[in-house]
Amino acid sequence: RRLALTRLLHDPRPIWLLDEPTAALDMEGRRLVGALVDEHRKTGGVVIAAIHGEGFSGARSVALTQLPAKAIA
């Protein structure tokens, strides 16, 4: 997982699309991902992430369970 995340630093992109970026990481890894996301956002980057449970600090979120069933289908 960490190796895959290093690609974001090696080949910078303005928009990051992440699917469960903290899954299978220990607490140190989760903090590192959070710091990377914070830094990316501070420099004008956008992060769109699918996350179960706790998200990133200062993030806006959309809970799919709160959307009308018609919007999900």
Side-chain angles (χ1 to χ4, degrees):
R1 178 73 61 181
R2 288 181 193 216
L3 181 59
L5 292 169
T6 60
R7 283 187 232 148
L8 296 174
L9 303 176
H10 183 269
D11 190 18
R13 304 284 182 192
I15 300 174
W16 291 359
L17 298 175
L18 306 175
D19 182 20
E20 295 290 338
T22 58
L25 292 178
D26 59 10
M27 288 307 294
E28 180 183 342
R30 290 172 190 249
R31 281 191 291 274
L32 176 61
V33 171
L36 291 173
V37 166
D38 287 345
E39 185 61 30
H40 183 62
R41 290 172 49 213
K42 284 179 189 172
T43 60
V46 174
V47 177
I48 300 170
I51 298 176
H52 291 263
E54 194 173 324
F56 298 112
S57 66
R60 288 183 271 170
S61 64
V62 174
L64 295 182
T65 57
Q66 296 175 353
L67 292 176
K70 200 174 197 179
I72 296 173

